[in-house]
Amino acid sequence: MGKKKKVIVAVTGASGSVYAKLLLDSLLKLSGQIENVGVVMSDNAKEVWRFELGNEDYDKYPFAFYPKMDFNAPFASGSAKYDTMIIIPCSMGTLGRIAHGISNDLISRAADVVLKERRKLIAVVRDTPFSLIHINNMKIVTEAGGIICPANPSFYSLPKSIEEVAQTVVSRVIDLAGLEQDSYRWNEE
């Protein structure tokens, strides 16, 4: 196995807190591949988590959490060498600020750093339908080196619960991040 990864997880106020929860759960299980996980959540992300999941369990993860305006967080600078940033779910407002270089909070600043350092940015956008503005912002972020991974679940694994459906997206994100995991693979035994 290669070098352990340093991962930033950003959670915005888009609907889809289950995706963030399942990613954090998965990163715990993959801790042998990870040197560090830094987490930043917007205020709206916490509100949506409480509403959609009925708890405040985001506080219970053993990762380093940073306030949304903490520009002293290590990943606010490229010198900290975080490999990957996953924004899950990624609101269209956050995506728009990233696309246009508006680093007005830690999430958008960290994304700016990841892109300028030519590292991996994965934006799990969660909105539908897309306006032309959304599509253009996705194009800009993609051209800057980011990966747009819409929170579109797959069903060929025959998921039986909401969590299993959501896990199909999270498993894809983990693959995109370059982490090794056991998950359903199409047409493999």
Side-chain angles (χ1 to χ4, degrees), residues 5-186:
K5 294 193 179 296
K6 293 170 78 173
V7 180
I8 306 157
V9 176
V11 186
T12 74
S15 179
S17 298
V18 66
Y19 294 115
K21 178 197 177 303
L22 291 172
L23 177 66
L24 293 173
D25 291 345
S26 295
L27 292 176
L28 276 175
K29 293 175 190 167
L30 300 172
S31 62
Q33 300 175 54
I34 298 169
E35 178 182 331
N36 194 12
V37 175
V39 181
V40 58
M41 296 179 74
S42 70
D43 294 337
N44 285 342
K46 293 175 184 177
E47 181 75 26
V48 172
W49 182 300
R50 285 189 291 268
F51 179 78
E52 291 182 350
L53 301 180
N55 61 54
E56 294 182 7
D57 288 353
Y58 51 82
D59 278 341
K60 294 187 168 66
Y61 289 93
F63 303 129
F65 279 74
Y66 297 89
K68 68 177 184 165
M69 297 308 291
D70 184 358
F71 288 86
N72 289 315
F75 47 84
S77 169
S79 64
K81 292 195 168 190
Y82 276 73
D83 306 281
T84 303
M85 179 175 187
I86 303 165
I87 309 172
I88 184 167
C90 181
S91 69
M92 289 302 169
T94 299
L95 185 74
R97 287 186 291 281
I98 293 166
H100 296 282
I102 301 169
S103 299
N104 64 343
D105 64 8
L106 182 55
I107 294 173
S108 53
R109 171 60 187 163
D112 189 42
V113 166
V114 167
L115 290 174
K116 81 179 181 68
E117 298 290 335
R118 308 297 192 268
R119 297 184 186 138
K120 193 173 285 192
L121 173 68
I122 303 165
V124 184
V125 295
R126 218 297 319 140
D127 211 338
T128 191
F130 298 138
S131 74
L132 184 57
I133 293 167
H134 301 154
I135 292 166
N136 283 334
N137 286 338
M138 286 187 263
K139 177 180 180 281
I140 291 167
V141 169
T142 299
E143 289 173 341
I147 299 170
I148 303 299
C149 181
N152 296 337
S154 62
F155 296 92
Y156 42 74
S157 62
L158 305 178
K160 307 277 188 280
S161 67
I162 289 173
E163 287 77 17
E164 286 182 12
V165 169
Q167 186 65 45
T168 67
V169 172
V170 172
S171 292
R172 191 78 168 127
V173 169
I174 290 168
D175 283 349
L176 289 169
L179 296 165
E180 296 297 322
Q181 65 174 333
D182 289 327
S183 68
Y184 181 86
R185 305 288 177 194
W186 173 249

